Amino acid sequence: MGIKFSLLAVLALVLVAFLGVEAIGMNYLFGVLVPYLAFFLFLTGFIYRILKWARAPVPFRIPTTSGQQKSFSWVKQNKLDNPSTKLATVGRMALEVLLFRSLFKNTKMEFRQGPKISYQWEKWLWLAGLAFHYSFFIIVVRHLRFFMEPVPGFVHLTESLDGFLQLGLPGLYITDLLFLAAVTYLFIRRVVIPQMRYISLPADYFPLFLLFGLGVTGVLMRYFTKVDIVKVKELAMGLATLHPTVPEGIGVLFFIHLFLVSTLMAYFPFSKLMHLGGVFLSPTRNLPNDSRIRRHINPWNYPVKVHTYEEYEDDFREKMIEAGLPVEKE
Amino acid sequence: MKIYDARYVLIGLAIFVGLFTIPFWYNMGRAVPPPDPKLDTPVIQQMAVKQCVLPLAEIRTGHMQLLNDWRTWVVRDGLRTYVAADGKTYNMSLQNTCMDCHSNKTQFCDQCHIYAGLEAGTVPYCWTCHIAPKENQ
Ligand code: HEM
């Protein structure tokens, strides 16, 4: 159900861009207005979501601790899994963001031969996740060649490393294969594992199909039915210098690609893809475990009216003495 | 309402916005004219009908695929003659055919390639073996 809906949604997007450009000729709408609007939504929506999250107070330390915490000097602390200083927390965060360390610890539980429980390493999700995110990142960096003039050196460097196989013309990019393979794996995983399928929603399938569509249209454009790259760059530079132009004769495939990107950008802040920003705000990762080192005061503490024991004794001293109770002041 | 850890959140957001708007500030105030590949070589000027191996739209977007096919046909299959759609025949050669007509590599091929983000000189890497035409600057 979720699969069909998401697939139809992405196909509808492709169709909208195709008909909009090919049949009605709304090139300016799909080439300039929609991308600008989508980019605006992306930036403002992203900032709005982050500020909204940042308004939730996190008064106490709640990091996930998966190692020995700081203790006596002769007990060895696991600094990365249970950091107690800012620096170690930054280190833990960097490993999380760059290497997906917590996903690496993923295990799988299975019943084997009757009621025997076994836990297994499960590294495929980590591997595919890493492959997906890094190829996505490299593809985006390479795409900067459309948006920057002169093209900076690091873009050239990425291009030549990514294309070092020098296979065919235009040269094959390894990340293109990796990207499509990883997205396919992430999709198949959701469908094949019954528990995964049970918890998967359209919000999980839709981004996968969208990204797959994006990859397929990009690969088609580069290796199969070509589009005019020089005109694409004219359009992209027009967008980047705020003097938008839409040259004639780019090829409809490009507009489909661009429309899918626009959808992705507009959808991003309202979806689970916000984990891009969210990972940095996640309190189980970004807090040092110094609960027993520093005193953490609840920020919304208000002055509470208290009645101390001394005051109590002042109120009832005579009666207490009468009843033979001990008092502190005579 | 209060923003907690505002310093870190705002620094993070500034980095985010800065990174994602690179194209806007990198190109600020710069006019970037599209490339203008020159066709004024001696060979092309003498042609009666100024025409490339493939029709203009196809050669523009697909010349690398044509070169790839030529290379395969020559190096792997030992064929050397290409018959174009209009019946004309060409010797399938990068140096002796393409660069005979387009003998102005720096004013022609490179114009587009640098603009399209292929690194000047190294990509296409063809010229590490094939010899580029001599040009009088
Ligand atoms: C998140 C955003 C994007 C993703 C994931 C994506 C993905 C891809 C992929 C996988 C390719 C295959 C070739 C390659 O890797 O270079 C490609 C090609 C292409 N993309 Fe994108 N793309 C994105 C954004 C854009 C944008 C904003 C533009 C607008 C200029 C664009 C224009 C193109 C063009 C013109 C090609 C063909 C390149 C060639 O023929 O060499 N893409 N895209």
Side-chain angles (χ1 to χ4, degrees), chain A residues 189-259:
Chain A
R189 178 178 161 272
R190 282 195 182 276
V191 180
V192 170
I193 304 176
Q195 297 95 315
M196 283 304 303
R197 185 165 181 159
Y198 184 69
I199 61 165
S200 295
L201 299 171
D204 299 306
Y205 293 120
F206 179 69
L208 284 176
F209 285 133
L210 195 62
L211 288 164
F212 193 75
L214 208 46
V216 166
T217 47
V219 162
L220 280 178
M221 262 193 291
R222 181 172 170 84
Y223 305 102
F224 301 99
T225 58
K226 310 285 301 175
V227 297
D228 194 328
I229 301 295
V230 173
K231 286 181 185 155
V232 168
K233 176 136 189 189
E234 259 181 84
L235 187 147
M237 289 305 296
L239 292 178
T241 52
L242 304 179
H243 293 290
T245 50
V246 182
E248 279 299 312
I250 294 184
V252 67
L253 203 54
F254 168 73
F255 287 99
I256 296 176
H257 192 68
L258 194 59
F259 191 56

Side-chain angles (χ1 to χ4, degrees), chain A residues 19-41:
Chain A
L19 291 180
V21 170
E22 201 77 330
I24 325 183
M26 295 191 293
N27 296 23
Y28 197 79
L29 178 70
F30 286 98
V32 175
L33 300 181
V34 169
Y36 268 148
L37 184 68
F39 187 66
F40 177 76
L41 274 177

Side-chain angles (χ1 to χ4, degrees), chain A residues 175-190:
Chain A
T175 47
D176 288 358
L177 289 184
L178 268 181
F179 180 79
L180 290 180
V183 174
T184 309
Y185 171 82
L186 294 175
F187 170 68
I188 289 179
R189 178 178 161 272
R190 282 195 182 276

Side-chain angles (χ1 to χ4, degrees), chain B residues 62-81:
Chain B
H63 59 276
M64 56 308 255
Q65 290 173 325
L66 181 73
L67 282 170
N68 198 34
D69 289 341
W70 279 19
R71 179 169 60 176
T72 313
W73 290 330
V74 171
V75 179
R76 301 250 166 93
D77 306 338
L79 308 169
R80 292 233 174 225
T81 317

Side-chain angles (χ1 to χ4, degrees), chain A residues 12 73 89 94 112 145 188 196 216 230 233 244 292 316:
Chain A
S73 56
T89 313
R112 283 238 181 120
R145 74 184 166 121
I188 289 179
M196 283 304 303
V216 166
V230 173
K233 176 136 189 189
R292 292 158 203 223
F316 297 105

Side-chain angles (χ1 to χ4, degrees), chain A residues 36 39 42-43 46-47 50-51 54-58 86 144-152 154-157 159-160 166-170 173 222-231 233-234 237 239-242 276 281 287 299-300, chain B residues 1-10 13 16-17 19-35 57-58 60-69 71 112-120 122-126:
Chain A
Y36 268 148
F39 187 66
F42 174 67
L43 281 188
F46 196 101
I47 293 173
I50 294 288
L51 291 183
R55 281 192 213 141
V58 186
K86 228 178 233 177
L144 284 177
R145 74 184 166 121
F146 295 124
F147 294 96
M148 294 165 97
E149 181 66 34
V151 181
F154 69 90
V155 176
H156 286 317
L157 186 70
E159 275 168 6
S160 50
Q166 301 192 332
L167 207 66
L169 287 178
Y173 285 134
R222 181 172 170 84
Y223 305 102
F224 301 99
T225 58
K226 310 285 301 175
V227 297
D228 194 328
I229 301 295
V230 173
K231 286 181 185 155
K233 176 136 189 189
E234 259 181 84
M237 289 305 296
L239 292 178
T241 52
L242 304 179
L276 169 60
L281 295 193
L287 294 171
W300 64 87
Chain B
M1 261 213 285
K2 187 176 160 54
I3 293 173
Y4 293 90
D5 290 315
R7 189 155 56 110
Y8 298 114
V9 172
L10 294 181
L13 279 178
F16 163 77
V17 173
L19 279 181
F20 277 82
T21 50
I22 280 183
F24 293 103
W25 48 262
Y26 184 83
N27 299 306
M28 205 139 52
R30 215 178 291 177
V32 186
E58 285 173 42
R60 258 202 125 182
T61 57
H63 59 276
M64 56 308 255
Q65 290 173 325
L66 181 73
L67 282 170
N68 198 34
D69 289 341
R71 179 169 60 176
C112 285
H113 293 165
I114 291 172
Y115 185 72
L118 306 177
E119 197 170 0
T122 54
V123 182
Y125 51 91
C126 322

Side-chain angles (χ1 to χ4, degrees), chain A residues 58-63 65 69-70 77 82-87 89 92 286-297:
Chain A
V58 186
F60 304 118
R61 296 314 197 211
I62 53 167
T65 56
Q69 79 165 311
K70 188 172 164 57
Q77 181 197 2
N82 201 332
S84 55
T85 61
K86 228 178 233 177
L87 186 71
T89 313
R92 174 195 215 192
N286 67 11
L287 294 171
N289 178 13
D290 55 4
S291 302
R292 292 158 203 223
I293 300 170
R294 278 181 45 213
R295 179 162 182 229
H296 299 280
I297 294 167

